[in-house]
Amino acid sequence: MIDKLDAALRFNREALNLRAERQEVLAANIAHADTPNYKARDFDFSSRLSQAVEQGRQAQSFAMSTTSSRHLAGEAKSMPDQDLLYRVPTQSSIDGNTVEMDVERINFADNALRYESNLTVLSAKIKTMLAAVQQ
């Protein structure tokens, strides 16, 4: 039963995780807008999402050790840097920085909007499942 619930929510869970990771990358780009020679980074969301749904996120996690048998097992997740791509600027800058604030702001707002949309869809799916269980 739990496996079926996990499978039903896996896509949305992975999409939310990747949207949050992308928001961090975009925020780092915006924060380094004035840093000389900083190269703007991003990743291909659709390919990362399909990979995460198919394979899960175990390949990207680190096992945490426990000091007591009563501790809960945990794992720290991180995004490998090799998945980050460099963004090609449309207009070069003198200091070598490739961050274009208009592009970053648009991507940041778009990603935030899609994150909120995904939360709304996930909330509706959970409400539907709860309604089905209660009947």
Side-chain angles (χ1 to χ4, degrees), residues 113-124:
L113 181 67
R114 290 175 189 265
Y115 184 89
E116 291 294 326
S117 299
N118 199 346
L119 278 177
T120 303
V121 168
L122 184 59
S123 177

Side-chain angles (χ1 to χ4, degrees), residues 57-92:
R57 299 174 65 82
Q58 290 77 23
Q60 301 172 357
S61 63
F62 301 102
M64 298 173 77
S65 62
T66 57
T67 56
S68 171
S69 61
R70 295 185 297 171
H71 288 168
L72 297 174
E75 55 185 38
K77 297 179 181 175
S78 70
M79 184 173 64
D81 280 344
Q82 68 264 20
D83 288 345
L84 290 178
L85 306 172
Y86 290 102
R87 185 167 296 145
V88 178
T90 55
Q91 183 176 354
S92 61

Side-chain angles (χ1 to χ4, degrees), residues 34-49:
D34 294 329
T35 305
N37 295 317
Y38 181 82
K39 307 301 180 205
R41 308 287 302 264
D42 204 351
F43 61 87
D44 184 13
F45 181 82
S46 60
S47 67
R48 287 281 307 274
L49 180 60

